Amino acid sequence: MPSPHSEVELTRKFIKARLLTDRATFHGYETEREHVRDLLQRTAEDGESNSVLLLGPRGSGKTTLITSVLAELLPQQTFHRNTLIVYLNGLIHTDDRQALKSATAQMNLENAVDGQVFGSFAENLAFLLECLKAGDRKKSKSVIFLLEEFDLFCSHHNQTLLYNLFDVAQSAQAPICVVGITARLDVIEMLEKRVKSRFSHRQIFLFPPENNFEGRVELFVELLKLPTEQDLRKREAAVTAIPKEALHNDELVLLRNLFDPCQYRFSAKWVTQWNRHINALAKNAAVQTVLKDIYDFEAIEGPFRTLLLELVSQLDEEHPAITVEWIQQLGHSYESDDKVALVAGLSVLEICLLVAMKHHSEIYDRDPFNFEMILTRYAKFANSSSSMQNIERAVVLKAFEHLKNLELIAPLMAGSSKVQKEYQLHRLLLTYGQINQAVQRMQFLPTEISQWAQSSLV
């Protein structure tokens, strides 16, 4: 049986590996994931041709979604025997010839073209697709093109690669599915007119929910808990179910580096003890406060994994468990940045506006606000205050504009210049914890304002 010291070291290695390399376990976005799965399955089994863009901010899980879907589909013989997967990355394949050479290798057609790239790109692509055909569509192998950093392919000369891929998908010359993955939400506008006309305009957005804190707590537990023996057997069966011939592709790093938890073995007693501790942490009020502050500022899963990595890295023989103090310290370091110092140097009026925005966001689940909303909330406090009365509307508006210039708040729509500025919607770019820290640092702030900042919503 492993010693407690080795159990701690193994636990640290396991959780760090999960946070960094587990791309087959996907959280949330069930509808979007099912949509992608359905598209890929129809391409493989029914010979349908499709094109789709997967859009979302970095760290939202776009590549992980694709990887988890492939890990689920590849064990099915009807999928891996009928499908070739071509993975291209805009950071690596910087022009069409490099992309063509890589696609040729991934489709095992080097012998057919003798490693040479000849003629125009359109001729080469047509030849490669012809090599896959077997007389009719029902006997043709399907090809799934995964284009990571899709926006970078838009900068290729004449967008020839995209034009031909979309053209083949639209005309159903051969069963292919083109999946573009990008963080650029305006990528459709980057497509040339002839390319855009051949794209299906099917877009799947991964936007993190801003009102699912319960899901964030569940994620905290899921990422930090250790697998039971039953979990390991289930995952081992899933990994071994993927045929080796489906993982032959050296370029498809998405699947070659699947996280395998089965190489980590823990004693049942240690797993029970560790998981009970993680569940207790998740229910702790102080821990939930820190998690809420972080979630209010950043709802994306990727950055949250990085923060958990900092926690896990502290585990050693002398510190065999994550503590509440560690998490509080992490939350403090997360929020104690230059913005706190900047806010602490603002005027009293500007601090009052930020407190009003904080209360508004707490009441309306961080819904956007405009100047008139904040002025109404501030005026309610000012009327009962001994130090904030008789401040003119124009002065308050000037303070509001100053907060925007400092990028502590931001307009919701960059192009909404037609809207009168008092009614233009804004979003708060500070966490509640940052505002509270700044208020505590201001030594000469009137007591009634400090109490207002910490009070229940008014």
Side-chain angles (χ1 to χ4, degrees):
M1 180 177 293
S3 68
H5 291 170
S6 61
E7 293 270 30
V8 173
E9 183 179 350
L10 197 62
T11 298
R12 184 180 67 246
K13 288 181 179 180
F14 170 80
I15 299 179
K16 287 175 71 173
R18 171 194 276 162
L19 293 173
L20 291 172
T21 64
D22 187 5
R23 295 294 177 262
T25 305
F26 189 71
H27 308 102
Y29 306 106
E30 295 300 332
T31 303
E32 293 82 354
R33 186 180 185 279
E34 189 59 33
H35 193 172
V36 172
R37 186 185 187 281
D38 184 56
L39 284 176
L40 299 187
Q41 201 161 21
R42 292 210 311 264
T43 300
E45 298 179 3
D46 303 329
E48 290 188 17
S49 292
N50 295 296
S51 56
V52 61
L53 283 179
L54 194 57
L55 304 141
R58 296 196 181 279
S60 57
K62 301 182 294 297
T63 304
T64 304
L65 183 149
I66 293 291
T67 310
S68 66
V69 169
L70 290 176
E72 181 182 339
L73 292 177
L74 281 171
Q76 304 175 13
Q77 288 191 4
T78 53
F79 185 85
H80 85 263
R81 288 186 177 179
N82 298 332
T83 310
L84 289 173
I85 300 172
V86 177
Y87 175 77
L88 301 175
N89 191 312
L91 294 171
I92 301 170
H93 308 104
T94 54
D95 59 48
D96 287 347
R97 286 190 171 271
Q98 290 184 23
L100 175 60
K101 186 176 181 181
S102 179
T104 303
Q106 294 183 54
M107 289 191 280
N108 291 326
L109 296 176
E110 304 99 314
N111 294 334
V113 297
D114 196 25
Q116 301 296 318
V117 178
F118 54 88
S120 67
F121 177 80
E123 292 170 344
N124 285 310
L125 184 60
F127 169 72
L128 293 177
L129 292 172
E130 281 295 329
C131 290
L132 302 174
K133 294 183 180 181
D136 60 67
R137 284 177 49 80
K138 292 184 178 180
K139 295 182 181 179
S140 299
K141 268 206 169 188
S142 303
V143 188
I144 295 174
F145 285 89
L146 304 177
L147 306 184
E148 189 94 58
E149 304 292 346
F150 179 84
D151 52 293
L152 298 181
F153 288 97
C154 297
S155 63
H156 290 190
H157 181 64
N158 291 334
Q159 298 184 355
T160 311
L161 171 69
L162 300 181
Y163 172 80
N164 283 279
L165 288 179
F166 288 153
D167 186 57
V168 170
Q170 184 189 55
S171 58
Q173 297 174 31
I176 77 168
C177 181
V178 183
V179 181
I181 306 168
T182 179
R184 286 288 298 268
L185 301 182
D186 62 342
V187 70
I188 291 291
E189 304 306 317
M190 300 173 66
L191 296 175
E192 294 183 2
K193 186 176 181 180
R194 65 189 185 117
V195 181
K196 191 185 299 184
S197 67
R198 283 160 174 76
F199 174 51
S200 68
H201 289 270
R202 183 183 285 109
Q203 300 177 69
I204 299 175
F205 294 91
L206 297 190
F207 289 136
E210 296 185 355
N211 56 353
N212 186 26
F213 175 64
E214 293 78 11
R216 172 55 59 89
V217 176
E218 291 174 6
L219 180 64
F220 172 82
V221 173
E222 186 174 343
L223 292 176
L224 292 182
K225 285 180 73 171
L226 296 177
T228 63
E229 193 64 31
Q230 183 180 0
D231 295 333
L232 288 175
R233 283 198 297 269
K234 184 178 179 181
R235 184 59 181 271
E236 187 174 21
V239 172
T240 55
I242 300 177
K244 290 184 179 180
E245 59 267 27
L247 302 179
H248 70 279
N249 193 336
D250 287 341
E251 291 290 333
L252 195 53
V253 293
L254 299 179
L255 292 173
R256 283 194 300 111
N257 294 331
L258 278 181
F259 172 65
D260 183 9
C262 303
Q263 60 183 301
Y264 302 91
R265 294 290 177 177
F266 306 93
S267 67
K269 181 179 179 182
W270 174 260
V271 171
T272 302
Q273 175 185 331
W274 177 270
N275 290 348
R276 186 183 295 125
H277 176 66
I278 295 300
N279 285 328
L281 283 177
K283 295 176 182 177
N284 184 283
V287 171
Q288 290 204 357
T289 299
V290 174
L291 294 179
K292 185 69 166 66
D293 288 341
I294 295 174
Y295 181 73
D296 287 338
F297 186 77
E298 183 61 88
I300 299 175
E301 180 178 330
F304 183 61
R305 282 174 173 258
T306 304
L307 287 175
L308 294 184
L309 196 62
E310 293 184 34
L311 279 180
V312 176
S313 298
Q314 300 179 60
L315 292 171
D316 56 29
E317 297 178 5
E318 297 181 2
H319 307 90
I322 297 172
T323 66
V324 175
E325 289 72 23
W326 286 5
I327 297 174
Q328 289 178 317
Q329 185 178 2
L330 178 68
H332 180 75
S333 63
Y334 181 74
E335 295 175 341
S336 185
D337 54 16
D338 292 338
K339 279 191 175 181
V340 174
L342 178 63
V343 173
L346 295 177
S347 68
V348 173
L349 174 59
E350 289 163 343
I351 283 290
C352 286
L353 293 182
L354 285 177
V355 171
M357 294 170 191
K358 169 177 171 282
H359 287 327
H360 174 92
S361 297
E362 288 174 332
I363 294 173
Y364 298 107
D365 294 325
R366 294 190 76 87
D367 276 0
F369 51 81
N370 59 32
F371 170 73
E372 293 295 336
M373 296 176 185
I374 301 305
L375 178 63
T376 300
R377 188 163 297 281
Y378 161 73
K380 184 178 179 181
F381 165 74
N383 289 335
S384 61
S385 167
S386 60
S387 55
M388 299 303 296
Q389 293 179 356
N390 302 321
I391 297 180
E392 295 182 5
R393 174 191 173 92
V395 176
V396 180
L397 179 58
K398 187 73 173 178
F400 187 90
E401 291 288 317
H402 187 225
L403 295 177
K404 182 168 72 172
N405 293 336
L406 292 174
E407 298 184 356
L408 301 177
I409 60 175
L412 198 62
M413 298 291 289
S416 56
S417 56
K418 295 181 181 179
V419 180
Q420 189 175 339
K421 61 183 179 180
E422 288 90 338
Y423 297 97
Q424 187 177 8
L425 290 176
H426 291 73
R427 188 176 293 276
L428 184 62
L429 299 182
L430 295 166
T431 68
Y432 305 148
Q434 285 174 318
I435 295 175
N436 291 336
Q437 282 190 44
V439 168
Q440 293 170 8
R441 288 190 187 185
M442 298 181 71
Q443 298 179 359
F444 303 105
L445 193 66
T447 304
E448 56 189 357
I449 297 176
S450 301
Q451 292 175 343
W452 181 45
Q454 303 297 330
S455 70
S456 57
L457 308 178
V458 291

